Amino acid sequence: MKKLTAGVLILVLSSSFVVAQAQTKPGDTLKTQEIEGVVVTALGIKREKKALGYASQEIKGDIISDAGQTNAVSALSGNVAGVQVTAPSSMGGSTRITMRGISSVTGENRPLIIVDGVPLDNSNVNSIDTQRGAGGRDYGDATFDINPDDIESVTVLKGGPAAALYGSRAGNGAIVYTTKSAKKGRTEIQFNTGVAFETIYIRPKLQSMYGGGLESSLPTADINGQTYNITDFGTDESWGPKYDPNLFYLGWDSFDPEFSNEYMKLKQWVAPKKDVDDFFRVGTTYTNNFSVSKSFENTSVRLSYTNTKINGIVPNSEIKKDNLSLNVASTLSDRLKAEGVFNYVRTQGFNRPEQGYGDNSVAQKFYQWGQRQLDFEELKKYKLANGMQRSWNRTSWDDGTPNFSDNPYWTIYENTSADERNRFFGNVGLTYNFSKKVFAVGKVYGDVYSQSISSQVAVGSAALSEYNLQKRNNSEFNYEGRVHYNDNFGDFSLNTFAGFNIMNRKWDALSGNSVGGLIIPGLYNLANSRESAIATNAFYHTSVKSLFGSVSLGYKNFLFLEGTGRNDWFSMINDDQFYPSVTGSFVFSQVLKTNWLSFGKVRAGWSQIAGYSAEPNIRGTYASIDTPFAGSPMYSMPAIKGEPNIRPEMKTTKEIGLEASFFKNRIGFDVTLYDVKTNDLIIPLPLDPANGYGFKRINAGEMTNKGIEAMVNVSPIRTDNFSWDITWNFTKNKNKLVELQGNLENYILTNAPFRAQLSAQVGYSYGVILGTDFVYDANGNKVVGENGFYKASAIKPLGSILPEYNMGFRNSFKYKNLGLSFLIDIQQGGKYFSTTHMWGMYSGMLEESALGGNREAGVILAGVKEDGTQNDILLDAPTWGSSYYNTVDAQNVFDASYIKLRDITLSYDFPKGALGGILQGFRVSAFARNLFAWNLDFKGVDPENTSYGSGNLQGLEGGSLPSTRMFGVNLNFKF
């Protein structure tokens, strides 16, 4: 930035147009100007960073796009202090993001997502069963529609003081994405193309010494007068005989005459040549982006199109996404400016893999139940000529009906799903300058999409055949107007504005389900239902009307005080709510004026803001219309009684921070301490069923979050040709549920598919896993009961899903035109419950269950008997394996810590002289993501892959696919 005298700088952002003061000092470096410079704040308004009295952090879009990211939210992991991101590597899956902990027991805990001023709906349609690990497909979040290639920058507004102007929806902070626009005086054409390859990485290790069955010898069958060894087809466990190449048997595929090569052919009892790993393929992601931008005398235009095609690691699964964006700004007169951003996105998914403990979850069939001798090359022949299934899990040798499990290839090719979302979002606005000091802004922000999801279970599957269809429509429009007044009075400066916002949101859904199975195989239509299909629909319309304002005072460019206020009137609750915030900052570097201090600021802020409840019927109690019985209509009352006088949850935030940089910005840091208290928690209070309801909504309780956010920047080396920059982000949050209501000590959030529960427990951090623990004697020894199993305690807390801290280290090197950057992402603490470990041990599938190839010796559990003597009770291997279920749940609870090489990028910009006259720039970059992971408690599960949704239900692993590594290359051409 060139030197400016005190004056007016017109700042244009695709989501706003404001007037602000900007000034530089002689000798300022570019880095200094970035620290003291202009950042995007609430409502898209650009402000001088030194004037802000709250914590915010900005990252450039290059960090997201260079690493080959397809999800603009998960890309924040490890890059921002105060933010926790859980990003499983499922194809197009959900990304869980929170800032400064959890503040609500049952409400929204995710931040507001803003793109060019548009509050972007981030709904997650995953069912409760999916989220708790009980089986289902992860359809991802609606923010998957954001195009990483279009992002110019991301500003993270971390707490109430930063985001208070957005009202109740930003009670958990806000993430503001600003997209690219045409640069003044430039015409630019860019083409970016890339390919990435995805391979399986972290998954449970399976034993390869014993085959399927429950006995140490193979069963026999008399077939056509001859006795054969066969397998225990109907069993889905692997406690069978040890592999022996001299032992021969008839396999699951030996009884179908149309497959002559296998019919009645004996096999060796050996480990398969093609095992579970061979089922998965190398996933691919192809991305192609074309953009053209042109700045005319009074008008600038940028048009961008991106095509993304993802082929998942599970065969027959894919996502196609098309993003079209138009960004236009025009100065119509000396006083009037018009601008608009328009985006169209079409996302099509096919056969997103089911995860968790479900009928169509291949992860559950591979790692929890099964027979280890199965060869996956043979399993590919999954269908008979008549269209029926060939399952390894036959009912018997002469009955091919699946007993428990489908052939995995039948699952992925016959029991499929399809989803599509068509979305328009953007804004149009006018800015009118009455004078150099006064201007007005009027904008309309819109976000409209329709989504359809269908899924099917084929006739001949182990589960009942089924067809399901869902359609959803969502629209939200925000109408906003502001009047700004900015002025200087001697040593004082004033920046102020006032405005209004009217939010209207409509949502409707239609769902249809077959009943009793399907009649005609291969026909997926509700009319093909054996019994009358069920159709349900729902609709709601909500509105929030708001007035807001802000006043910021500055003194001699080093002392700033700001106050904001917003009042919301809700359609969902009776009372309106007022949200104030007060912040201040003291730029002490302006006073000290020393050579070693480049910039220094101390800041403090306070805010009070309501938690957002999107539930439209929270006040009322409405009857449910149920499925008719024998032609007669049925009605019932809901399980939860509404409360007409319910109030929103109220969050009070106090924070203090210190920013400084030294030695011409070679060293810098930004530290924030915060204290957040949420009162009037909305919880369902259990009632006596005699009242006609199971629960009643009430305001009660208190939850606190106290923590520290820190960011450190160091540049150890900086020369004309070489630079080395280090960025460290650190977040430590202590969450506590102080109280619920009266004697109520916990609220059960959900149940795992088996055994464990997820709870909000008074006195503990949110998300406590409840289950049984070991019983210990006075010397700390585990106590073993008379049956040889560990004794189990009563139900008790086994740990919280929330981590102790998160941190990220990014190192960036630049030598002339060559760049190298890598990010280490660290999480310490937190817990998760693993259903895979529980059933994988129970069924003899996991490597540990093989006992090193000596199952025959049995197991004596380490511990003492109840009388204090050393345990000497011998358990046979299958009995020992069964002890992982229905005894001590703590055996299946693991620490969620990890250290990951999150991404690494190597890039080279070709010198302009080497490109000839056509290309203005050419860049090639290679990248890898999730390359290595260390410090895993259970080596078979990535802790991030225990999430099947972005809501509050986390940490219950029900059956996860392998996490993946990704490698890729990008080519960028500038014309």
Side-chain angles (χ1 to χ4, degrees), residues 618-640:
I618 193 168
R619 290 183 299 173
T621 303
Y622 303 93
S624 299
I625 303 175
D626 300 326
T627 304
F629 178 75
S632 300
M634 294 183 64
Y635 305 91
S636 64
M637 297 305 291
I640 301 177

Side-chain angles (χ1 to χ4, degrees), residues 134-290:
R137 303 179 194 268
D138 185 353
Y139 293 101
D141 305 302
T143 50
F144 183 74
D145 294 338
I146 301 174
N147 182 21
D149 284 314
D150 285 337
I151 296 172
E152 180 75 28
S153 65
V154 186
T155 301
V156 181
L157 305 176
K158 300 179 184 177
L165 282 171
Y166 282 118
S168 60
R169 289 201 294 182
N172 302 309
I175 301 174
V176 182
Y177 292 86
T178 302
T179 62
K180 297 174 182 176
S181 58
K183 302 298 185 286
K184 188 173 183 179
R186 291 169 57 182
T187 299
E188 188 174 79
I189 299 174
Q190 285 198 47
F191 176 64
N192 190 75
T193 182
V195 61
F197 303 95
E198 191 175 17
T199 60
I200 60 172
Y201 178 30
I202 300 171
R203 69 277 194 196
K205 290 186 178 181
L206 300 171
Q207 60 91 2
S208 56
M209 297 182 177
Y210 297 86
L214 295 175
E215 304 293 338
S216 58
S217 60
L218 289 175
T220 60
D222 187 9
I223 304 174
N224 298 325
Q226 186 173 345
T227 301
Y228 294 91
N229 289 324
I230 61 173
T231 58
D232 189 355
F233 301 109
T235 295
D236 53 0
E237 300 180 40
S238 287
W239 296 107
K242 195 172 186 177
Y243 290 140
D244 179 356
N246 297 314
L247 181 62
F248 292 85
Y249 72 105
L250 291 177
W252 67 274
D253 56 348
S254 300
F255 306 103
D256 299 312
E258 63 189 76
F259 291 89
S260 57
N261 290 335
E262 291 89 34
Y263 185 63
M264 298 303 293
K265 297 291 177 65
L266 292 171
K267 301 180 181 183
Q268 288 179 300
W269 187 250
V270 292
K273 296 179 180 179
K274 297 292 185 179
D275 208 339
V276 169
D277 284 359
D278 297 290
F279 170 84
F280 299 101
R281 65 182 180 184
V282 175
T284 56
T285 299
Y286 300 96
T287 304
N288 292 284
N289 169 259
F290 176 80

Side-chain angles (χ1 to χ4, degrees), residues 317-331:
S317 62
E318 68 175 18
I319 293 177
K320 299 176 183 179
K321 186 170 70 165
D322 296 281
N323 290 78
L324 182 65
S325 174
L326 177 64
N327 190 321
V328 182
S330 180
T331 302

Side-chain angles (χ1 to χ4, degrees), residues 642-657:
E643 172 51 56
N645 297 314
I646 200 77
R647 301 182 304 277
E649 301 176 344
M650 191 60 66
K651 179 188 288 189
T652 303
T653 300
K654 294 177 286 186
E655 67 176 65
I656 185 170

Side-chain angles (χ1 to χ4, degrees), residues 789-812:
F789 291 177
Y790 285 121
K791 294 204 67 176
S793 71
I795 301 294
K796 62 186 294 188
L798 301 177
S800 168
I801 61 174
L802 300 183
E804 295 174 25
Y805 64 80
N806 294 83
M807 71 169 71
F809 293 93
R810 180 172 291 280
N811 280 263
S812 300

Side-chain angles (χ1 to χ4, degrees), residues 90 158 219 223 250 320 331 449 536 582 697 699 806 885:
S90 53
K158 300 179 184 177
I223 304 174
L250 291 177
K320 299 176 183 179
T331 302
Y449 68 83
T536 59
V582 179
R697 283 194 184 89
N699 288 108
N806 294 83
Y885 169 71

